[in-house]
Amino acid sequence: EVLKVLQQHGVKLINPAVNEEFTPGRHEALMLRAAEGVSPNCIVEVFQPGYALAMPNAEDRVIRAAKVVVAPSE
């Protein structure tokens, strides 16, 4: 229920998919871990989703970054 109310006020869930490119600011890397089938500098696992506030005529503002595990660069 709380998430529905927040969504009505412009709050969006940041829940990145596995193998999505890591974006500093939107994602917070907690650790590096290699994983089969995951490209370098991409997300391996999501520990905790984040939240962003939709801003009119501008880019979304991150309230809390998603906490993720990232595949190391080669």
Side-chain angles (χ1 to χ4, degrees), residues 1-14 49-55 60-61 63-64:
E1 286 296 314
V2 174
L3 190 55
K4 287 181 185 178
V5 172
L6 290 173
Q7 288 174 342
Q8 291 172 353
H9 292 283
V11 176
K12 298 178 180 180
L13 187 65
I14 301 172
Y51 297 95
L53 180 61
M55 303 297 288
D60 293 350
R61 184 174 187 176
I63 298 169
R64 183 180 77 193

Side-chain angles (χ1 to χ4, degrees), residues 5 17 25-26 29 31-32 34-35 39 41 43 45 47 58 61-62 65 70 74:
V5 172
R26 243 179 121 63
M31 67 172 61
L32 296 175
S39 303
N41 205 36
I43 295 170
E45 181 182 350
F47 280 136
R61 184 174 187 176
V62 176
V70 179
E74 293 180 324

Side-chain angles (χ1 to χ4, degrees), residues 12-35:
K12 298 178 180 180
L13 187 65
I14 301 172
N15 195 12
V18 172
N19 215 19
E20 183 176 317
E21 187 174 349
F22 172 74
T23 307
R26 243 179 121 63
H27 308 129
E28 179 183 347
L30 299 180
M31 67 172 61
L32 296 175
R33 182 174 68 211

